């Protein structure tokens, strides 16, 4: 029955003179999300609100699900638009709305009103009182409860009048595209897709780099990462995935360096390569799914050794999360079932049984000195032969 939605945002509302930039980004993200929904929609903004109007028939549930994946939306309100809102017509239209939405009138209610149009002859409190009286008169089986009503009937009077009673909560955050771009180190595990999701929720556009090691890792392992990127892209928009063949670099490190340092040294070269691609693509930072103490490469000492190789900021949104906290988010955003598919990635091969957990940066750099004969050439080859996949 609904032909329109009133979209509310939260954090964007406290922005100053630049608020319109965030509003425009949110409007554009909503438009993009609805491209996948059958039907035509008009998305517009006005005085702290964004409106979505359906111009043709559409699937209500499908449209709501699409908008629920847009960062920046706090609430989605299916709304009835009233073009002619002189008082007599407004009361009739609101009464008709209640009659249609709630065939059973045995409930308590409260009217809440906002008057954006200050020239309207009734103030917001007057609208609440007078509309409440009208509804009681028209539907005597209903009763008023201003503290804990079963139903809140919301009326907003702006250049049109809007009435709604259902509020669907959105993801919050900031619309993707308004806070720069960053490079996600995406593996096939549980953590990195969640890390990308969380940074994107702050308005950051995401690109990704994945390292694979054929024939030691399979095509199915690579496809798993592509599938994860596609799932995350439901929230972030299209993700450009850079696939790096890491085999020769891994084998060379394995041959030249102490095996208990393999994980740290390999990780440092992954960061170097991801940073090179990030700079080429105007990214402003790297994103990883690391969490303190989760594995040997994520102790404080290991993170320090890894971080030392980077010149741009490294964002680690999961750094203080327990594993179950991460799993809970992965389940909520639908990446978990894909992440636990049993295909090895390159982080799980060529690893020592007893990796160093408190690496000395000086010792790591000394070991890397043994790589100087060939490593730059191998890194350059890996960069030049990368595969780029658009995931959406």
């Amino acid at each position: 029955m609904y032909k329109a939605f009133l979209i509310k945002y939260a954090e964007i509302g406290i922005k100053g003179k630049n608020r319109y930039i965030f509003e425009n980004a949110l409007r554009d993200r909503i438009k993009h999300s609805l491209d996948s929904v059958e039907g035509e929609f008009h998305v517009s903004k006005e005085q702290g609100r964004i409106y979505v109007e359906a111009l043709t028939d559409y699937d209500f549930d499908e449209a709501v699900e699409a908008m629920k994946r847009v960062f920046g939306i706090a609430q989605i309100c299916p709304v009835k638009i009233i073009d002619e809102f002189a008082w007599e017509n407004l009361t009739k239209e609101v009464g008709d709305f209640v009659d249609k939405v709630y065939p059973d009138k045995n409930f308590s209610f409260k009217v809440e009103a906002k008057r954006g149009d200050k020239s309207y002859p009734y103030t917001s409190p007057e609208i609440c009182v007078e509309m409440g009286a009208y509804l009681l008169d028209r539907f005597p089986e209903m009763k008023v409860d201003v503290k804990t009503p079963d139903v809140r009937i919301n009326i907003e009077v702006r250049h049109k009048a809007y009435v709604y009673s259902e509020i669907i909560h959105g993801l919050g955050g900031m619309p993707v595209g308004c806070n720069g771009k960053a490079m996600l180190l995406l593996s096939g595990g549980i953590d990195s897709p969640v890390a990308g999701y969380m940074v994107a929720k702050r308005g950051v556009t995401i690109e990704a780099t994945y390292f694979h090691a054929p024939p030691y890792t399979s095509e199915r392992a690579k496809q798993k990462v592509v599938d994860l990127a596609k799932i995350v892209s439901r929230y972030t928009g299209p993700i450009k995935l850079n696939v790096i063949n890491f085999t020769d670099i891994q084998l060379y490190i394995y041959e030249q360096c102490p095996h208990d340092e393999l994980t740290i040294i390999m990780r440092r070269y992954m960061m170097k390569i991801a940073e090179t691609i990030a700079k080429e693509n105007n990214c402003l930072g790297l994103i990883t799914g690391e969490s303190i103490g989760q594995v040997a490469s994520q102790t404080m000492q290991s993170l320090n050794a890894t971080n030392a190789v980077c010149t741009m900021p490294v964002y680690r949104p999961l750094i203080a999360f327990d594993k179950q906290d991460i799993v809970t988010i992965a389940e909520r955003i639908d990446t978990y079932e894909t992440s636990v598919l049993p295909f090895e990635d390159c982080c799980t091969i060529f690893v020592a049984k007893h990796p160093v957990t408190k690496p000395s940066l000086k010792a790591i750099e000394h070991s890397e000195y043994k790589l100087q004969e060939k490593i730059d050439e191998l890194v350059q080859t890996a960069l030049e032969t990368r595969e780029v996949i658009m995931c959406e």
Side-chain angles (χ1 to χ4, degrees), residues 108-229:
S108 61
F109 76 101
K110 176 184 180 182
V111 175
E112 295 184 344
K114 289 184 178 178
R115 187 186 61 158
D117 178 2
K118 300 304 180 187
S119 67
Y120 197 69
Y122 289 81
T123 65
S124 297
E126 288 171 341
I127 293 173
C128 294
V129 172
E130 297 299 327
M131 189 62 73
Y134 169 83
L135 293 174
L136 279 177
D137 184 59
R138 181 168 169 177
F139 308 113
E141 60 270 54
M142 290 166 50
K143 58 185 178 182
V144 172
D145 183 344
V146 296
K147 292 185 177 179
T148 55
D150 298 322
V151 176
R152 294 177 188 270
I153 299 168
N154 297 273
I155 302 167
E156 296 197 14
V157 177
R158 297 172 181 268
H159 74 291
K160 297 179 181 178
Y162 304 86
V163 56
Y164 60 93
S165 59
E166 181 182 4
I167 295 175
I168 302 163
H169 293 286
L171 292 172
M174 309 280 279
V176 171
C178 65
N179 274 331
K181 184 165 65 173
M183 179 64 67
L184 169 67
L185 277 78
L186 183 63
S187 73
I190 297 171
D191 304 337
S192 58
V194 173
Y197 166 89
M198 293 184 66
V199 173
K201 188 176 179 181
R202 300 306 304 158
V204 177
T205 300
I206 300 296
E207 289 201 19
T209 297
Y210 164 63
F211 296 88
H212 75 145
Y216 304 100
T217 59
S218 66
E219 279 298 305
R220 289 192 299 177
K222 186 176 81 173
Q223 185 59 47
K224 172 184 170 181
V225 174
V226 172
D227 292 342
L228 284 169

Side-chain angles (χ1 to χ4, degrees), residues 59-295:
D59 186 296
F60 176 87
D61 293 335
E62 194 178 355
V64 169
E65 283 304 309
M67 290 188 284
K68 284 173 69 176
R69 292 195 291 266
V70 176
F71 295 133
I73 292 178
Q75 295 178 344
I76 303 165
C77 307
V79 66
K80 176 179 180 177
I81 299 177
I82 303 170
D83 295 311
E84 170 51 53
F85 53 98
W87 181 249
E88 290 75 14
N89 194 58
L90 180 64
T91 53
K92 176 185 179 304
E93 292 284 357
V94 172
D96 291 348
F97 169 84
V98 172
D99 196 26
K100 190 170 185 177
V101 175
Y102 301 100
D104 180 4
K105 305 297 188 298
N106 186 26
F107 61 85
S108 61
F109 76 101
K110 176 184 180 182
V111 175
E112 295 184 344
K114 289 184 178 178
R115 187 186 61 158
D117 178 2
K118 300 304 180 187
S119 67
Y120 197 69
Y122 289 81
T123 65
S124 297
E126 288 171 341
I127 293 173
C128 294
V129 172
E130 297 299 327
M131 189 62 73
Y134 169 83
L135 293 174
L136 279 177
D137 184 59
R138 181 168 169 177
F139 308 113
E141 60 270 54
M142 290 166 50
K143 58 185 178 182
V144 172
D145 183 344
V146 296
K147 292 185 177 179
T148 55
D150 298 322
V151 176
R152 294 177 188 270
I153 299 168
N154 297 273
I155 302 167
E156 296 197 14
V157 177
R158 297 172 181 268
H159 74 291
K160 297 179 181 178
Y162 304 86
V163 56
Y164 60 93
S165 59
E166 181 182 4
I167 295 175
I168 302 163
H169 293 286
L171 292 172
M174 309 280 279
V176 171
C178 65
N179 274 331
K181 184 165 65 173
M183 179 64 67
L184 169 67
L185 277 78
L186 183 63
S187 73
I190 297 171
D191 304 337
S192 58
V194 173
Y197 166 89
M198 293 184 66
V199 173
K201 188 176 179 181
R202 300 306 304 158
V204 177
T205 300
I206 300 296
E207 289 201 19
T209 297
Y210 164 63
F211 296 88
H212 75 145
Y216 304 100
T217 59
S218 66
E219 279 298 305
R220 289 192 299 177
K222 186 176 81 173
Q223 185 59 47
K224 172 184 170 181
V225 174
V226 172
D227 292 342
L228 284 169
K230 288 181 178 178
I231 295 171
V232 176
S233 76
R234 296 172 189 167
Y235 304 91
T236 65
I239 293 178
K240 180 182 174 183
L241 177 65
N242 301 274
V243 180
I244 296 291
N245 187 326
F246 202 56
T247 307
D248 290 343
I249 296 173
Q250 272 190 293
L251 288 173
Y252 188 50
I253 294 172
Y254 187 81
E255 291 167 358
Q256 301 295 324
C257 297
H259 285 190
D260 64 342
E261 296 176 354
L262 289 177
T263 301
I264 298 299
I265 294 173
M266 289 177 185
R267 186 73 180 161
R268 279 165 57 89
Y269 276 96
M270 288 180 181
M271 299 291 272
K272 280 186 181 181
I273 291 170
E275 185 177 72
T276 299
I277 302 171
K279 289 178 177 176
E280 289 176 3
N281 290 275
N282 301 315
C283 294
L284 300 173
L286 302 178
I287 306 166
T288 75
E290 292 158 319
S291 171
I292 293 175
Q294 188 176 121
V295 293

Side-chain angles (χ1 to χ4, degrees), residues 23 44-51 158-160 162:
E23 291 176 330
S44 59
K45 65 170 187 173
E46 180 218 346
Q47 293 180 336
R49 296 284 189 269
I50 291 177
Y51 301 99
R158 297 172 181 268
H159 74 291
K160 297 179 181 178
Y162 304 86

